[in-house]
Amino acid sequence: MFFVQSAVLYAQYYQLQIMVHRPFIPTAQKPSKLSFPSLAICTNAARAISHIADAARKHFPGRAFPDMQMPAFTAAIVLLLHIWGHRRAGQTSSGLDYSQEMQSVEKCMGLLKDSEKRWHTSGRLWDVL
């Protein structure tokens, strides 16, 4: 019981980190060199959520985690945008491991897929991804 509570608490903490720093991520419309720490914080928080989701799935296979739906979805979106941003900028040699980033996305999607059997929202979020 404490494992699940801890996993949910950490996942929601990292989602809050993403929500706080997301407005400061640079975009094509408002580029800024000062916003890269926010991008790194969001990306690291998203990776942490994917690791938490994977650990929860391994510890309780087949269990639905309703409180981790939105953190997993948010993390997958941040990671996908990070990958696409690198590709669009042509930064293929910047040290980003695309396969490892996609594995993190797949961990989040796996949690949503497992929860889909019980929670309809998880299936909708998985379809969006």
Side-chain angles (χ1 to χ4, degrees):
M1 180 171 83
F2 293 121
F3 179 84
V4 174
Q5 291 174 348
S6 178
V8 168
L9 187 62
Y10 271 112
Q12 290 182 351
Y13 165 75
Y14 287 119
Q15 182 187 19
L16 182 61
Q17 258 191 343
I18 292 170
M19 294 300 165
V20 167
H21 288 277
R22 188 180 59 185
F24 303 108
I25 294 176
T27 62
Q29 291 80 19
K30 57 170 196 150
S32 171
K33 297 267 186 209
L34 300 176
S35 299
F36 286 119
S38 291
L39 178 62
I41 290 168
C42 288
T43 305
N44 288 332
R47 284 189 200 114
I49 291 171
S50 75
H51 294 308
I52 292 167
D54 190 46
R57 286 181 65 218
K58 286 179 180 174
H59 202 272
F60 295 103
R63 181 173 175 179
F65 295 96
D67 295 325
M68 290 182 62
Q69 292 177 31
M70 287 311 294
F73 176 73
T74 303
I77 291 292
V78 167
L79 291 169
L80 286 172
L81 290 174
H82 180 67
I83 292 168
W84 291 333
H86 269 274
R87 285 192 176 167
R88 188 171 22 135
Q91 298 175 342
T92 57
S93 63
S94 65
L96 181 66
D97 185 5
Y98 293 109
S99 63
Q100 187 175 6
E101 293 291 307
M102 281 307 297
Q103 285 176 354
S104 295
V105 172
E106 289 167 5
K107 289 175 185 176
C108 294
M109 290 181 73
L111 181 121
L112 293 173
K113 192 67 170 174
D114 288 349
S115 298
E116 179 182 26
K117 298 169 191 153
R118 175 134 187 200
W119 301 99
H120 179 70
T121 307
S122 290
R124 308 265 331 245
L125 294 173
W126 189 86
D127 291 341
V128 169
L129 290 172

